[in-house]
Every structure is written in C-alpha cells, then in structure tokens.
Amino acid sequence: MCGRYAASRGPEDLVTTFGIEWWDPEEALAPDWNVAPTKEVHVVLDRPVKDAGDPRPVRQLRRLTWGLVPSWAKTPEGAARMINARAETVHEKPSFRRPFAARRCLVPADGYYEWVTEAAERDLEVEGRRKRPRKQPYFVTPADGSVFAMAGLYEFWRDRTLPDDHPRAWWATCAVVTTEAETTPLAEAPAEGPTSLADIHPRMPLMLTPDRWDAWLDPGRTHPDEVRPLLAPHPPGLVRAHPVSTAVSNVRNNGPELLTELDGPEEATLF
C-alpha cells in the first residue's frame, strides 16, 4: 500500500523533470518528508487550462488533496480511506473507474515509507512480553536517486451546500494506484532485514518509469484496454530500501532527518 511518503522536490525541479507547461506559483508546496492522507500534494496531469480558451491538453503541476472523493459522493467524508486504488480492480470499482478512464495523474515523491514487524519483535509478542509488536519503518526509493513517480488518479467533487463562487465549492482530490510488491531482490538491501519489497509489505505504489509517463497522462486514452497495460509493474531492481527512525510513525514529525539510513532496525523497548 502507500500510506505515507516523502516529497521534498520543489516546483522548479518538478517543472524540469516532467516537462510542465503550466503551473501557478501560488500552488507551490513546501518540502514535506512525512506526507500523510488528507494533506495537499503536488500532482502532474494533462488537461486544458481552465478559462484559457484552448482545448489542447496542457501538462500542469497542480495542488490536490490526497484522499479521493468520488464525483457522486454526497459528502467528502471517507476521503481519508480512499488514498489507494488497487491496480487489479481500478477499472471496475465505482469510486475509481471514471477517473481511471479519463483523469490519471502522476504523484511525484522521493520515495515511500512502509512498516514491517521484525522477527525479534514478533518473537516478543509471542512470548507475551509486549502488548503489541512495534513495526520498523523502511524508506523505499529509486536506487539512482531519480524521482519516484507514482501512478495516480484525480477527481472533482462539487459541494452543493456552497455557492458557485465559493473557494471551497469544488474539491480536487487524488489517490495512488498500488500493485503487488515485487519479490525480486532489491537493488540495494539493508545488511539486516528484508531483501525484497514483498518482505516488507505485500503491496506497493505503482511506480511509472519515464517511458510510460506520456501514455499514462494522455486524456485521449479512455478505453480500459488502452490503459490497463500501463498498470504493469516497473522492471525489477530499480529501488532500494533502508530502515529509518520510528519517528516517521508520528505524522507531526517532519524533516530530512526522517530519511536518514539506520545501520539496522531500531532496538525494541519493552513496556
């Protein structure tokens, strides 16, 4: 799954990386090393610029809220649960099939966090020496230091309780597409711990390599048969994973120190 990630690249970097043609400086976001559901995030999308009088799709950098609200929803409640869309069923689920057909985006990240319960922790739980196992967070990122472009979907929701000219009359929200975690060896694995993404968690965000960005963002591709092939997992051996401090588990903690690689999993503290 993808429930937390880091996004420290500034708009200027993203403009260059993704070939952005239009963005509003007022929508710029500060670096965030602990992005959590319901936060505002940068996404890359292709669509006509509003009120520009030109129907041509333009590559834009936009600020959306993470947690998709379906266009048909009566209220935005539940958006925090709509942060991920499974690649296997995204084309048929009522909440996702319309944006999958016409409103796809890229969610730029440095990488994502995932939590795994270490063997020693599980042993302590079995022995009854802990109330519950503590999970060790890992940071998963491209081995070459490039951007982690997560496949995403976006949607618009109209709040009918507000007038048309109200700034919150329209909500723009998004979700990250996930797929089965790869079982092949990591490009770089920690000295102790998991050797593949599947050892950490059975799901992972779908990372799209640059050769698939244009096709994924193309709003002209609307038939599922044209889009579903793009859901294939990225080639193996492109990412690395390393243990990081459990401080990332608290969403109030934020800063580049959250990405610091530890020599090994943090030691358990009994209570």
Side-chain angles (χ1 to χ4, degrees):
M1 63 178 295
C2 179
R4 207 77 66 80
Y5 68 92
S8 67
R9 288 174 167 81
E12 293 79 7
D13 187 354
L14 299 177
V15 165
T16 301
T17 300
F18 292 99
I20 301 298
E21 300 174 79
W22 186 94
W23 70 287
D24 184 349
E26 293 187 0
E27 293 191 0
L29 294 170
D32 193 337
W33 289 272
N34 203 352
V35 181
T38 73
K39 279 190 173 184
E40 291 188 313
V41 299
H42 278 140
V43 306
V44 177
L45 53 84
D46 284 7
R47 65 179 291 113
V49 177
K50 185 179 180 181
D51 300 327
D54 184 355
R56 179 181 63 90
V58 173
R59 184 150 304 175
Q60 305 178 39
L61 181 66
R62 302 302 302 266
R63 186 173 68 187
L64 276 61
T65 299
W66 187 18
L68 190 140
V69 180
S71 60
W72 43 263
K74 293 182 179 179
T75 72
E77 295 178 6
R81 297 190 299 272
M82 293 281 189
I83 61 172
N84 293 160
R86 294 175 67 93
E88 298 86 346
T89 57
V90 67
H91 64 290
E92 58 188 15
K93 291 293 184 180
S95 298
F96 300 124
R97 61 190 178 199
R98 290 178 62 183
F100 177 65
R103 287 179 288 280
R104 298 178 300 276
C105 63
L106 296 172
V107 184
D110 303 324
Y112 71 98
Y113 300 101
E114 194 55 84
W115 283 256
V116 62
T117 301
E118 296 295 332
E121 292 291 301
R122 290 194 295 268
D123 291 343
L124 291 174
E125 174 70 6
V126 170
E127 295 171 8
R129 297 171 62 191
R130 287 178 62 86
K131 294 181 181 179
R132 65 183 178 88
R134 184 189 64 185
K135 293 185 175 182
Q136 170 63 46
Y138 282 80
F139 185 63
V140 181
T141 185
D144 63 0
S146 61
V147 66
F148 195 119
M150 300 185 290
L153 311 173
Y154 69 97
E155 186 58 285
F156 298 103
W157 180 77
R158 175 68 168 88
D159 186 344
R160 298 297 176 185
T161 66
L162 299 175
D164 290 341
D165 58 353
H166 194 282
R168 293 294 292 170
W170 284 95
W171 290 42
T173 60
C174 64
V176 172
V177 178
T178 66
T179 188
E180 289 187 359
E182 60 183 44
T183 58
T184 52
L186 292 160
E188 296 179 37
E192 301 178 34
T195 59
S196 72
L197 291 180
D199 289 340
I200 301 175
H201 194 277
R203 306 289 299 179
M204 61 176 285
L206 177 63
M207 184 177 80
L208 296 181
T209 48
D211 58 299
R212 282 194 276 172
W213 291 353
D214 289 347
W216 178 256
L217 295 175
D218 183 2
R221 292 176 182 248
T222 59
H223 196 282
D225 291 344
E226 294 181 296
V227 186
R228 290 185 67 187
L230 301 175
L231 295 171
H234 63 260
L238 296 184
V239 300
R240 65 185 301 268
H242 62 262
V244 294
S245 169
T246 53
V248 73
S249 300
N250 187 334
V251 71
R252 288 175 293 185
N253 294 328
N254 207 319
E257 67 278 2
L258 296 179
L259 304 186
T260 300
E261 182 172 355
L262 304 182
D263 293 333
E266 290 186 323
E267 295 184 0
T269 303
L270 299 182
F271 59 92

